[in-house]
Amino acid sequence: ILNVEQSPQSLHVQEGDSTNFTCSFPSSNFYALHWYRWETAKSPEALFVMTLNGDEKKKGRISATLNTKEGYSYLYIKGSQPEDSATYLCACQETSGSRLTFGEGTQLTVNP
Amino acid sequence: DTGVSQNPRHKITKRGQNVTFRCDPISEHNRLYWYRQTLGQGPEFLTYFQNEAQLEKSRLLSDRFSAERPKGSFSTLEIQRTEQGDSAMYLCASSYLRGPPPYEQYFGPGTRLTVT
């Protein structure tokens, strides 16, 4: 059973600040790391999926990195905007197409 | 492509009643997953299907829970004799396992169950 941990639990930043979150996971039996953004009353939105050590993905102002040897991933948001306010979830996967094991999420609030 | 849909979006029921939720995955997606999220926690895996075959069930899933995907398209999740501890957000996701991996799981908006 994977144990996926995210930090911090919650974060309040001002508009324009850059921020980052951490996801840590066991490095054994690792296949993929997924990041999701989940806004209230909406569906969780897939941001990135990464499999290889050293992977870096970017979508607009959001980027993510993966270190499978030490078991962590970072999510960065550059120049936070109020619309970035959401819960950011990471999830690990042991094999292709299998279940996801989620962390508890980081709740981000961006104040205008 | 209208995304994954779930019905109902909200359900309030009394303890001891049976409830059924429906998930319609993205068209042609061959994998369908059910997760449950309680307050302050991340989503927790319940079960998943490859077409109509149920491939895995969580050990946490009690006998009161049953899921089906009879024609390999939509799926239903039934909870019998609901308990207050069943109150949660029930999420469905689908995935298309064709072509090169990795494969993303696309989530629906969830069904929020409240057991009184």
Side-chain angles (χ1 to χ4, degrees):
Chain A
I1 297 177
L2 294 175
N3 185 28
V4 179
E5 296 183 347
Q6 291 188 246
S7 62
Q9 266 191 329
S10 65
L11 194 55
H12 292 253
V13 301
Q14 290 298 123
E15 183 176 354
D17 288 349
S18 293
T19 187
N20 65 85
F21 324 132
T22 303
C23 174
S24 61
F25 54 88
S27 51
S28 59
N29 297 324
F30 172 86
Y31 171 73
L33 189 287
H34 298 245
W35 280 101
Y36 286 86
R37 174 171 60 202
W38 195 2
E39 295 178 66
T40 303
K42 294 187 177 179
S43 305
E45 175 195 355
L47 292 175
F48 307 112
V49 54
M50 297 177 286
T51 58
L52 299 176
N53 185 46
D55 261 353
E56 292 186 24
K57 295 280 178 89
K58 186 175 181 182
K59 185 185 290 188
R61 295 179 291 98
I62 304 177
S63 60
T65 61
L66 179 66
N67 183 322
T68 60
K69 293 185 178 178
E70 296 182 37
Y72 65 84
S73 174
Y74 294 137
L75 187 80
Y76 301 91
I77 302 178
K78 184 177 178 182
S80 303
Q81 300 296 309
E83 57 265 31
D84 296 329
S85 297
T87 296
Y88 290 83
L89 292 162
C90 72
C92 278
Q93 206 174 21
E94 291 183 327
T95 58
S96 177
S98 67
R99 60 181 143 84
L100 299 178
T101 301
F102 283 87
E104 293 184 351
T106 293
Q107 187 171 2
L108 174 67
T109 303
V110 183
N111 299 309
Chain B
D1 180 359
T2 56
V4 178
S5 62
Q6 294 187 242
N7 288 287
R9 293 290 304 274
H10 302 273
K11 178 72 177 177
I12 300 174
T13 192
K14 292 184 178 179
R15 189 175 53 191
Q17 298 294 304
N18 300 343
V19 293
T20 300
F21 311 139
R22 176 177 171 127
C23 171
D24 286 90
I26 294 171
S27 180
E28 297 186 356
H29 276 201
N30 44 16
R31 285 238 169 140
L32 187 148
Y33 309 80
W34 284 100
Y35 295 87
R36 173 175 67 186
Q37 192 238 2
T38 53
L39 202 61
Q41 303 295 315
E44 171 188 59
F45 170 75
L46 294 178
T47 188
Y48 81 88
F49 294 83
Q50 170 78 19
N51 299 314
E52 64 274 10
Q54 189 172 19
L55 295 189
E56 186 180 0
K57 285 174 62 172
S58 167
R59 287 171 288 173
L60 302 173
L61 207 61
S62 81
D63 292 343
R64 297 183 297 105
F65 288 70
S66 62
E68 293 183 341
R69 195 183 183 199
K71 297 182 180 178
S73 56
F74 73 91
S75 175
T76 57
L77 178 68
E78 181 184 15
I79 308 175
Q80 295 183 327
R81 305 181 304 282
T82 52
E83 300 173 357
Q84 287 188 320
D86 297 331
S87 296
M89 175 74 84
Y90 289 83
L91 292 163
C92 174
S94 71
S95 192
Y96 186 60
L97 270 64
R98 295 270 166 83
Y103 308 109
E104 289 185 350
Q105 293 185 19
Y106 297 90
F107 280 82
T111 294
R112 181 165 294 285
L113 173 67
T114 302
V115 182
T116 62

